Amino acid sequence: MGDSTKSLLQRIIRRIPSRAIESTLRKWGRLTAEQLQSIDFTQPKWTVTQELLDMCEEGNWTLKFITELEMSYIIDNPNQGMWYAYQLMNPEDDANSVELTQFKEQFKSHLKQLVRHISLKMKKHTDEAVWIRIAWGDRFFQPNHMKPTYAVHYLQTPYVFVTSLTSKHKPLFSQAMTLSTRYQAIKDANLSGRNLTAIRDLLMRQFQQAFPTKHPSPLAERNQTVSHPRIEKEQDGNAANRLELACEAFGGGTLPQLQSAVYKLETKFRDQTNKAMTEREESFKCIVKFASTNLLESLRHCASSGFASTPVTPLLSSISLKGKNYFVITDNSPGAASQPRRAQDK
Amino acid sequence: MERHHNSVTKTPLDRVQRRSKSKSYRQSLRSCLGATCLTPALTTRRLNISRRAPKSHNITKVNPEQLALMVKTEWQLSYVTPLYQFRHTQLKSYSRQLSAFIAAEKQQGLAVEVEGSHGSFRVSFSVVQGMSEAADDAETVLIQIHLKRLFSRQDEPAKVVWSGLLTCINGSPDYLRSLPKDFTCLPLLCSSGAEGLTSAVKSWFQQTFDCYFGQLEISHTSLQWMIALWTNCQTESAIQFLKMIWTLPVVPPLKVTYTVNGQDAWELWSSVRKDPQKEGNGEDEDENSIDIEEVMRFMQGLKSHFYRHFRLDLSAGKLDQVSTALGSAKCSGMIKISNSKYMISTLTLLTECALLKMPI
C-alpha cells in the first residue's frame, strides 16, 4: 500500500509545474507550518519530490490525503486534458429540487452498487459546481488511482463536464448520474475542448452576447476613432455593420477559448455550372475542421473583416448559439437563420 | 503565360516570381555571362499548362531497398544549380571526401543533434538506376550518411542518420541540351535528416562543384496540380481521401482542414474533365493530358461546395498542405510519396518546379 501511495504522490508532483508546487501544497493544508518551511522550493523538482516522499513515509500519509492533493490541484487548474460536455435529458418532476447532500448520497450509492471496487470523492466548489473524482476498479482489481475520471456537475442545471472517462466506464457513470439527478437520460452535448472554463461558459452562456438591435448606437460608441470631423471614411458604415453581425453571431467582448470545431457534411453537391454533379443522387461526403488557439475569436474576425460573408451562416453561428462544436450536417438538418435560443435536441 | 480565367490563378507569390525571372534575371545574366547559349532556354521555360496524366509506372528496375527508402521518408526539397564536373564514375572518391569533410566540420564544432553523435560518420554515394526514362536526364544519385557509434558491437549495422536524393526526372530537354558540356544537371535535392548535416553536405557540394542550393517551396499552382494528379489516380489506386489544409490570415490564425471522401472527389474531378470525344479523333495523347483549366474548375468546385455551407471564401487563405493516401505535399517544400507507382510523375512535377526556380 505504501508503494502505490508513494508512486501516486510522485506522479502528481510531476504533473504540477514547479512554480505552482508551493501554492498547491499550501492550499492543500495537510502540511504543518514547520514542514512547509523546511522544504526549499527553489531546489530542482526532483529534490522537492524526494523530501515530500520522505514526509509521506514518516507521516504515514494515506491514499485519501494524496487524492485530496490531486483534486485540489485539478480544481484550481482545470484547463488541461480534454473535457467533454454532456447534457441530461427529460427531467423527472423533482429534478429541479435535487440539492447537494441528496445528490452526493444518491450518486455514491448508485455507483457503488454498479461497481464493486471504486474510490469516490465529491467536493462542492464555490460556484455551485460539484467536483467528482472516480478511481475505477472492478471485481478483481482495486481502484486504479493513476487514471481517475474527473467530472463536474452544476446543480440544478442539466450539464455535466467529464474528462478521462473510458468507454468501458461510460455507461456506469451515465447510469449513476441520471439516477442521482432525477433525469431519464444523458446524452453527448457535442462540445469538447481543453479549456473547462471555456466550454462551461459557452454551454451555460456566460459570455457577453450581442443581441440584434434596431439602433446600432452601442457599437458606434465603441468605435470612437474620429480623427477629424471633415474626414469621412467610406467603408466605416459597412465595417460597423459587419462587426455588429459578427458579434451577434459569436458574441462580444472576450470569447470562451475553444480550440476546434468539426463539421461532418453529408449534403448533395449543388452547383449551377456543373450539371453532372448536381444531378448526382449520393451526397458529397466531406469533413471540415476549423482549428485555432481561440476559435471563436478567429471566426469573429473572419466575419468582421469580410472573409466570411455576413450575415454569418447558421452553421458557424451555431457554435456560440447552441454551444456545440461537433456537427453532422445532412440535407434535412435545419439550416434556417432563425433558431430558438436553446434548441431542445440536436 | 498569364491565365486570367479566375481570380484563383492570380496568387501574388507566383506572379512576382515569374516576372522577375523573365525580365531582370535574363538581363543581368546576359551581361554577366555573355553566354548566348543559355538565353533560348530561359524564354522557353514555363510551367506546363498541360500535363500527361500520371501512368502508374511499375518501377521494377529500381533496387527495392532504395525504393523502400524513397517511399517511407518525408523529404525536404531544395533546388540545385548545375554541377560542374560531377562524374558518376567517381562516386567512391566523393564518398571519402564528404566523410572527411563532415569529420572536419565536427571537429570545428558542427552541432549535430543526433543521438549518440559520438561516433564516426561514413558517407556512401550510390546511383539509383532505372528511375529516369528520358535520355537527357542524368542518373539519380542517392547519398546516405551512416553513424557508427563509438562503443557499438562489431556486427551492429551503422544507422542511417541522413539521406539525400539528387535527381532529374524528365527535365526540359531544351534546357538540358543547352548546358555547356561539363555541367551535370540534377536540379532537385530531397533531403531528410538533421539540419546540421544537410548544411554540411550542401557546403561541400558548393565548394566542390561550384553550385548553389536554395529552398524550393511548392507553389500554390503546383499544389493544385498535385491535387488533380493524385485524384486522377483514383481508378487505379484508391486515394481514400483528399485532405487540404488552408490557413486564413485572421487574428489568431485559423486553420481549416477540408477532407473529402476519395470516391466523391473522383466523381467531381471526372465531371470537370473536358469530353475527350470533342477533342478530335481520340489520340492517346489527348486522353491522357490534363489542362490547367480542368484543375482550376476542380478547385473551384471544391471551394464552392465549401462556400455554400460556410459562406467563407477559401481563396482568401493560403493552401498549406495537400495529402491523400498516395502522398502528401506541404507548401514549405516537404513531400512524401507513399505509393511507388507515382514516384516518377511526382518527381517530374517537382523537377520542373526546381528548374523554374533556379536563378540561371
Side-chain angles (χ1 to χ4, degrees):
Chain A
M1 193 59 173
D3 266 348
S4 66
T5 321
K6 282 168 90 168
S7 53
L8 180 64
L9 179 61
Q10 211 163 357
R11 189 189 161 98
I12 294 171
I13 301 290
R14 204 178 329 150
R15 206 175 153 182
I16 304 177
S18 313
R19 57 178 187 277
I21 292 188
E22 188 174 353
S23 46
T24 314
L25 288 172
R26 224 176 269 281
K27 206 149 180 227
W28 181 36
R30 289 279 179 186
L31 291 176
T32 63
E34 298 92 45
Q35 281 177 315
L36 270 173
Q37 286 247 331
S38 70
I39 306 178
D40 179 7
F41 290 100
T42 56
Q43 289 171 89
K45 206 195 238 185
W46 185 84
T47 327
V48 175
T49 316
Q50 283 303 112
E51 291 192 28
L52 286 168
L53 285 173
D54 294 335
M55 281 190 206
C56 171
E57 184 90 41
E58 289 165 29
N60 256 331
W61 291 352
T62 58
L63 217 51
K64 187 161 175 281
F65 285 11
I66 315 278
T67 52
E68 231 175 54
L69 172 64
E70 189 192 63
M71 196 154 172
S72 135
Y73 173 67
I74 300 279
I75 293 180
D76 282 337
N77 301 278
N79 298 330
Q80 338 175 350
M82 203 61 183
W83 289 89
Y84 298 89
Y86 292 91
Q87 188 169 347
L88 296 155
M89 312 287 295
N90 303 332
E92 306 271 357
D93 293 328
D94 52 348
N96 278 334
S97 58
V98 171
E99 45 86 43
L100 182 64
T101 28
Q102 178 188 356
F103 170 66
K104 275 167 99 161
E105 281 167 14
Q106 291 277 307
F107 189 76
K108 276 191 186 156
S109 72
H110 282 298
L111 207 52
K112 290 207 159 134
Q113 276 175 10
L114 291 169
V115 187
R116 175 86 72 86
H117 287 129
I118 199 160
S119 165
L120 191 57
K121 219 176 186 60
M122 297 176 79
K123 181 170 174 190
K124 180 171 177 304
H125 201 48
T126 46
D127 57 345
E128 286 307 312
V130 183
W131 279 78
I132 307 169
R133 178 185 189 278
I134 310 172
W136 303 89
D138 60 19
R139 238 183 311 150
F140 305 112
F141 296 104
Q142 290 295 316
N144 180 1
H145 283 278
M146 295 298 191
K147 296 192 177 146
T149 300
Y150 275 91
V152 186
H153 172 52
Y154 287 82
L155 287 170
Q156 269 105 45
T157 69
Y159 304 117
V160 187
F161 303 95
V162 190
T163 181
S164 312
L165 180 64
T166 58
S167 45
K168 180 171 151 200
H169 299 133
K170 194 161 152 193
L172 307 166
F173 176 81
S174 310
Q175 189 168 341
M177 188 52 88
T178 45
L179 290 171
S180 50
T181 52
R182 309 290 294 144
Y183 278 80
Q184 284 179 19
I186 187 171
K187 76 166 179 78
D188 193 348
N190 285 330
L191 178 64
S192 62
R194 298 196 152 272
N195 207 313
L196 173 65
T197 29
I199 61 176
R200 182 201 63 203
D201 287 344
L202 194 65
L203 201 52
M204 307 206 329
R205 311 190 70 74
Q206 286 166 6
F207 58 96
Q208 189 179 350
Q209 295 157 70
F211 296 99
T213 56
K214 199 164 157 69
H215 305 286
S217 40
L219 272 172
E221 274 166 22
R222 235 189 280 158
N223 296 341
Q224 286 297 9
T225 46
V226 177
S227 49
H228 190 278
R230 299 259 171 85
I231 296 178
E232 191 185 298
K233 286 194 184 160
E234 272 183 27
Q235 291 292 322
D236 255 357
N238 285 342
N241 218 15
R242 279 199 300 264
L243 180 59
E244 187 192 335
L245 287 169
C247 287
E248 271 173 44
F250 300 110
T254 333
L255 293 170
Q257 225 182 359
L258 268 191
Q259 287 81 36
S260 66
V262 176
Y263 293 82
K264 200 165 155 199
L265 300 177
E266 284 166 13
T267 51
K268 290 220 193 89
F269 189 95
R270 259 182 256 284
D271 190 353
Q272 305 289 34
T273 58
N274 192 333
K275 276 201 122 149
M277 282 305 282
T278 316
E279 286 162 10
R280 202 165 153 251
E281 284 293 321
E282 301 93 23
S283 50
F284 192 76
K285 295 177 282 297
C286 52
I287 299 181
V288 177
K289 179 174 169 185
F290 293 92
S292 164
T293 45
N294 188 337
L295 181 70
L296 290 172
E297 259 311 325
S298 296
L299 288 173
R300 188 173 64 181
H301 194 205
C302 278
S304 63
S305 55
F307 290 121
S309 311
T310 48
V312 180
T313 165
L315 254 64
L316 288 176
S317 56
S318 302
I319 304 179
S320 283
L321 291 175
K322 289 197 194 166
K324 286 168 70 171
N325 68 355
Y326 176 75
F327 301 86
V328 176
I329 313 286
T330 58
D331 278 316
N332 302 326
S333 349
S338 59
Q339 285 282 357
R341 219 188 92 177
R342 171 63 61 209
Q344 273 308 88
D345 47 3
K346 213 29 118 69
Chain B
M1 168 150 101
E2 332 297 342
R3 291 175 284 280
H4 290 296
H5 297 291
N6 303 336
S7 58
V8 177
T9 54
K10 283 189 192 160
T11 41
L13 278 161
D14 269 19
R15 294 275 153 247
V16 170
Q17 260 182 6
R18 218 60 58 73
R19 265 195 212 112
S20 68
K21 216 184 293 297
S22 52
K23 264 207 187 143
S24 59
Y25 271 109
R26 247 188 294 166
Q27 283 169 351
S28 65
L29 214 47
R30 229 179 268 165
S31 57
C32 282
L33 299 182
T36 49
C37 60
L38 284 178
T39 42
L42 279 167
T43 50
T44 55
R45 270 194 299 160
R46 277 156 173 58
L47 200 55
N48 277 349
I49 54 166
S50 159
R51 289 175 194 286
R52 306 208 48 195
K55 299 195 287 265
S56 70
H57 295 77
N58 282 318
I59 308 185
T60 48
K61 300 182 227 162
V62 181
N63 177 352
E65 256 183 47
Q66 291 175 328
L67 197 61
L69 171 74
M70 291 198 280
V71 163
K72 74 176 164 99
T73 322
E74 186 173 35
W75 301 102
Q76 173 74 46
L77 300 173
S78 323
Y79 65 83
V80 192
T81 55
L83 306 168
Y84 183 62
Q85 290 192 336
F86 178 88
R87 306 263 175 269
H88 283 87
T89 47
Q90 295 203 3
L91 293 181
K92 267 207 155 52
S93 148
Y94 295 153
S95 314
R96 278 196 300 270
Q97 290 177 35
L98 185 52
S99 308
F101 183 80
I102 293 183
E105 287 284 306
K106 220 173 124 212
Q107 284 273 3
Q108 289 179 30
L110 165 74
V112 179
E113 320 89 40
V114 178
E115 47 132 80
S117 56
H118 302 294
S120 56
F121 289 107
R122 179 176 66 84
V123 180
S124 71
F125 277 66
S126 48
V127 174
V128 182
Q129 305 211 321
M131 288 273 287
S132 55
E133 318 167 319
D136 294 311
D137 291 338
E139 289 282 354
T140 305
V141 177
L142 173 67
I143 308 164
Q144 286 182 295
I145 302 185
H146 308 259
L147 173 67
K148 193 144 177 79
R149 271 185 254 162
L150 263 172
F151 300 110
S152 62
R153 296 192 307 273
Q154 279 294 78
D155 51 347
E156 200 180 307
K159 197 172 115 185
V160 175
V161 294
W162 190 91
S163 321
L165 207 61
L166 271 171
T167 179
C168 177
I169 307 285
N170 292 325
S172 149
D174 296 328
Y175 177 73
L176 293 175
R177 283 181 211 146
S178 71
L179 290 173
K181 236 169 51 159
D182 280 328
F183 282 91
T184 312
C185 186
L186 287 165
L188 188 65
L189 169 70
C190 310
S191 59
S192 154
E195 186 54 42
L197 285 172
T198 311
S199 40
V201 172
K202 286 183 181 174
S203 324
W204 180 78
F205 265 88
Q206 286 178 341
Q207 282 175 17
T208 320
F209 303 110
D210 196 20
C211 61
Y212 178 74
F213 286 83
Q215 197 191 4
L216 180 66
E217 287 118 7
I218 304 182
S219 71
H220 180 235
T221 318
S222 306
L223 283 174
Q224 290 179 327
W225 272 113
M226 299 250 177
I227 293 178
L229 294 175
W230 276 332
T231 310
N232 199 49
C233 303
Q234 168 74 2
T235 44
E236 284 176 355
S237 337
I239 61 171
Q240 287 173 24
F241 58 88
L242 171 64
K243 181 160 95 162
M244 297 165 279
I245 301 184
W246 305 76
T247 312
L248 283 151
V250 287
V251 174
L254 182 63
K255 184 172 102 157
V256 181
T257 310
Y258 183 14
T259 313
V260 183
N261 173 281
Q263 188 58 30
D264 293 329
W266 157 250
E267 295 204 16
L268 178 60
W269 169 244
S270 33
S271 73
V272 302
R273 297 291 317 268
K274 287 207 284 265
D275 193 358
Q277 302 300 81
K278 290 185 189 156
E279 288 304 297
N281 302 324
E283 248 181 63
D284 196 49
E285 185 78 42
D286 278 334
E287 261 181 44
N288 267 337
S289 77
I290 299 176
D291 277 347
I292 186 91
E293 278 131 13
E294 294 170 326
V295 177
M296 290 305 161
R297 279 205 294 271
F298 182 54
M299 292 304 300
Q300 198 50 41
L302 290 169
K303 285 185 202 166
S304 70
H305 183 76
F306 186 89
Y307 186 80
R308 189 165 79 80
H309 291 90
F310 299 102
R311 304 200 54 188
L312 187 58
D313 194 358
L314 283 174
S315 312
K318 178 166 167 257
L319 181 57
D320 278 335
Q321 188 179 335
V322 168
S323 56
T324 63
L326 303 177
S328 73
K330 294 186 192 157
C331 75
S332 58
M334 309 277 296
I335 184 103
K336 181 166 186 210
I337 305 169
S338 312
N339 191 326
S340 61
K341 287 199 270 189
Y342 304 104
M343 176 84 61
I344 303 291
S345 340
T346 318
L347 288 178
T348 308
L349 178 74
L350 294 172
T351 306
E352 198 179 299
C353 292
L355 281 174
L356 272 170
K357 188 126 194 259
M358 282 203 304
I360 56 163

